[in-house]
Amino acid sequence: MIITISAVLGTVAQVFAFDILTGRLGKLHLIRICLAVAAIFMIAMIQLSSYALVLSVTLGIFLTFDLIRPAPTTYLSKITDNEQYKCRKHYRTAIAGILFNINVQY
């Protein structure tokens, strides 16, 4: 249930808050802030014992990663201008390489 709620809230945050936040902070600064907040939430997750607090911190982690997700792709497409195909190709290659290194038989 928490995944469903966080997915809906993450979608709403991406639609309504992403443009506002990137306009005020910039894409790279937004990524840094979201990563820092997510790290703080993950450290807090270790210390919490209440079920409601764990759920709320999990929701916060999902929301920060939902705001991070579109930032690198829009940033990379903005800096490449007419060579977006190269950027998209390298981005997919990097993701494929990371996924290839995962040992699925573990």
Side-chain angles (χ1 to χ4, degrees), residues 84-96:
Q84 285 187 2
Y85 66 93
K86 290 181 182 178
C87 174
R88 196 171 29 234
K89 182 176 80 171
H90 292 302
Y91 190 64
R92 287 181 186 163
T93 305
I95 291 173

Side-chain angles (χ1 to χ4, degrees), residues 2 4 9-10 12-13 20-21 23 30 35-36 41 48 50 61 69 71 74 76 78 80 90:
I2 190 67
T4 305
L9 290 177
V12 170
I20 295 169
L21 289 173
L30 177 67
L35 285 175
F41 280 159
L48 296 176
S50 170
I61 292 170
R69 191 176 305 120
T74 56
L76 290 174
K78 182 179 178 181
T80 56
H90 292 302

